[in-house]
Amino acid sequence: MPIGEGNKLHVAEIKKLTDKIDEINASAELPDWMTKNDAVLFCPSIYAPLFKVKHKLWKDLFRQLGKEGREFLKNALIRNQGYGNSTMHAKDISNPYNPYADPMVNVLLMERQKELHLFTNIISIISTNQFTPAIRLPNSLMLHHGKLKEIATIITNSTKNRLHKLNKKLISYNHSLRGRSKFCVS
């Protein structure tokens, strides 16, 4: 799916930043052991089973929430395909839904924010330690748990046709991303 002008600009700016980091690394003449990776690609997702809206935990929780709370959790927290930010559409402009006013949603939202903050700090430390850029990818990349698990299994396998299987799975994953995500670069 083609990306919009805003996304093209975003990708171009990431490229500029990574080129600048590579330029600094080259001028510093760092030894190879200090630069283990070209980049750290990351996508902070929540615990995989919790992406399933029909998970028992969510079903039990949804029974205790009103419709607006359920919809907020489903779209903003559980199945958010973007970069973690979300847009809410108020049905009643005079009384918009405030997720922080709902005690249960507030706790979940605050925990998710703490989790993302900790994860971002860890990625920052890894990136700094390896003198390499960290590139944040949209959440939609992690919504393919089955395919990612298969890819991880193939990577750790030592069979002869491992690379052929890996290429097929990566191509399949790539196609599913392009078909699903409005954030992928075509």
Side-chain angles (χ1 to χ4, degrees):
M1 181 178 287
I3 59 173
E5 289 303 313
N7 287 339
K8 285 182 183 177
L9 179 61
H10 180 73
V11 171
E13 292 302 314
I14 289 172
K15 173 89 172 86
K16 277 188 204 174
L17 179 61
T18 57
D19 288 346
K20 187 67 175 171
I21 291 171
D22 288 345
E23 181 184 308
I24 292 168
N25 284 343
S27 68
E29 298 179 8
L30 297 172
D32 288 341
W33 63 267
M34 290 184 82
T35 55
K36 298 175 186 170
N37 298 303
D38 292 331
V40 175
L41 300 176
F42 73 100
C43 180
S45 66
I46 60 176
Y47 181 58
L50 297 182
F51 269 115
K52 298 174 183 153
V53 177
K54 295 181 180 176
H55 189 278
K56 182 183 178 340
L57 173 87
W58 291 123
K59 283 184 176 182
D60 292 345
L61 185 68
F62 290 158
R63 285 189 197 102
Q64 300 173 46
L65 292 173
K67 183 177 181 182
E68 289 178 315
R70 283 192 306 269
E71 291 304 312
F72 177 81
L73 285 178
K74 286 178 187 177
N75 298 323
L77 196 68
I78 304 169
R79 301 295 286 176
N80 186 314
Q81 292 189 25
Y83 287 92
N85 53 338
S86 63
T87 303
M88 295 181 359
H89 300 284
K91 292 180 182 175
D92 180 5
I93 303 260
S94 64
N95 187 23
Y97 176 70
N98 178 358
Y100 293 102
D102 185 321
M104 199 173 302
V105 175
N106 182 355
V107 168
L108 293 169
L109 197 52
M110 297 297 282
E111 284 303 312
R112 179 64 175 147
Q113 289 170 343
K114 289 176 191 174
E115 177 187 21
L116 289 172
H117 183 73
L118 175 63
F119 188 85
T120 302
N121 286 332
I122 291 168
I123 293 297
S124 297
I125 291 167
I126 292 169
S127 174
T128 302
N129 182 40
Q130 295 184 11
F131 299 101
T132 189
I135 301 170
R136 166 75 158 89
L137 302 171
N139 298 345
S140 60
L141 299 179
M142 296 304 290
L143 298 177
H144 304 275
H145 301 288
K147 287 184 183 349
L148 291 170
K149 193 172 185 176
E150 290 172 357
I151 289 168
T153 301
I154 293 170
I155 288 171
T156 59
N157 196 331
S158 61
T159 60
K160 288 182 184 179
N161 62 346
R162 175 177 74 107
L163 291 179
H164 177 70
K165 283 183 181 179
L166 181 60
N167 283 333
K168 283 177 69 173
K169 290 294 178 187
L170 287 172
I171 289 169
S172 171
Y173 177 58
N174 185 13
H175 285 296
S176 61
L177 291 177
R178 288 174 185 259
R180 181 176 199 165
S181 177
K182 59 186 173 188
F183 300 98
C184 289
V185 179
S186 294

